[in-house]
Structures are given as structure tokens and as C-alpha cells.
Amino acid sequence: MNKNSIFIAVAIAVSVGSAAFAQDQDGPIVTNRSNESADALRTREAIAYSNTLPRGAPTQDYPLVAWCDALVTGHADLGETLTNRSPEDTELVRLGRLEAQDFRSALAAAEPRQTAASKAAAQQAAAAAKAQWAPLLASQDEAARSQSFGLFYGLPGRCEHAARRIRNNITTPPATPADVGLEEPAAN
């Protein structure tokens, strides 16, 4: 583990503090925790934006949220094809649907502010993500569908921050790890 990884791990532990991760009720996934300080949110966002995105993920926020929505929706769709779902699988599908709802509401709020190019990029990103799920959704091999459902590792942390940023029309660049004290600023 390098020095930056240690700083990031410590920062996460400190910024999270006593904040609860579980939601108290059903509804869209909460990305702006009311008990989270602005500094803690800024630190989480800096960490999320500093991590490399998976291959094929768009880097701009609006298309990224469309991509995230399509991935989590495809995962939930795949889970619903399973005939012998465990209670945990059913809960993952439910939570995926809530997360997708949050992404779609962010996309809808931001849509009027997007350029034609950004909207086209979002449509392309969503189509590419949906295409990844299509062969599994069409498969008659339930064991393969079940295994793939279980192997989905989730979305990049940047997805929740990008959704919050586009919903709230935040146009300033996200903080960097150096901005929040996790790394020393680059020398000029």
C-alpha cells in the first residue's frame, strides 16, 4: 500500500465518522447525507473522482450517470430473471431499482441544461451498458445468469456524486485529493 492509499483510507474513516450508511426508509438512494459535513462530502467526492473509471465508462458527468443507470438497471433486470432468488438477491434487485430511480431523476433534472452532444453521449453510453447485459438477459442458462448476477461488483463511487452534481447543476470541477489534504499539491 502506497502513502496515498494510506491517506485515502484514513480520510475515509475520518470523514465517515459516526455517519450511518443504511437508509432508514425506502426511496431513492441518499447521496447527500443530511448529517454529513460539507468537508466530508467534499472528501468523498475527491476520492471518487480520483479513482480510475472502468473501461468504457464516460468521464463527463451526464453521460456517466446514464451509463450508471443502464448498468444498475441491467443488473436488476437480470436478477428478476432468476426463478430461485434468495432474499438477498431480491433485496439487491430492490436496491438496484431505487438507485436507478435516483439516477433517472438526476438525468431528468439536468436534461434541459445539456447540449445535444452531451445528450447523444448519454444515449450512446446507456446503449453500450445495456448491450453488455443483453446476452445474459437472453440466455436460457439460469446458472450463468445467476452467477453473473452474483458477480456484479457494483458501480464506481463517482456515479452517486455525478448524479448529485448534475441534479444540483454544480459546474465547478470536483475537489482533488490535494484540495482536501489527502495528497501534497503538485510542485510547479
Side-chain angles (χ1 to χ4, degrees):
M1 185 177 275
N2 66 31
K3 183 172 115 178
N4 288 339
S5 297
I6 294 170
F7 284 132
I8 290 172
V10 170
I12 290 170
V14 170
S15 71
V16 170
S18 63
F21 284 108
Q23 285 193 203
D24 295 333
Q25 58 191 350
D26 288 345
I29 303 300
V30 177
T31 58
N32 185 8
R33 296 173 178 97
S34 60
N35 62 344
E36 182 177 39
S37 72
D39 286 342
L41 175 63
R42 192 167 182 247
T43 298
R44 282 191 321 107
E45 182 177 90
I47 293 166
Y49 275 84
S50 70
N51 289 324
T52 304
L53 287 169
R55 187 177 337 113
T59 57
Q60 297 300 310
D61 286 347
Y62 190 78
L64 177 65
V65 174
W67 180 84
C68 297
D69 174 32
L71 278 182
V72 76
T73 296
H75 183 249
D77 290 348
L78 184 64
E80 287 181 345
T81 70
L82 304 177
T83 56
N84 194 18
R85 282 194 306 260
S86 69
E88 293 82 7
D89 292 342
T90 300
E91 181 66 1
L92 283 174
V93 169
R94 185 185 75 79
L95 292 173
R97 295 286 182 221
L98 291 173
E99 193 167 28
Q101 177 184 348
D102 183 56
F103 292 143
R104 283 191 297 279
S105 73
L107 290 165
E111 192 270 335
R113 298 185 299 266
Q114 300 307 303
T115 64
S118 180
K119 291 175 189 178
Q123 289 174 342
Q124 290 171 347
K130 287 177 186 176
Q132 293 177 348
W133 290 112
L136 287 165
L137 289 166
S139 173
Q140 297 300 311
D141 184 351
E142 179 148 358
R145 291 193 321 272
S146 179
Q147 183 178 24
S148 295
F149 180 78
L151 289 176
F152 181 65
Y153 293 108
L155 301 170
R158 189 183 299 188
C159 291
E160 76 171 83
H161 295 286
R164 180 182 50 79
R165 290 175 65 81
I166 67 169
R167 179 183 293 107
N168 296 334
N169 198 24
I170 299 171
T171 58
T172 57
T176 67
D179 293 338
V180 297
L182 297 177
E183 294 177 356
E184 292 186 22
N188 290 331

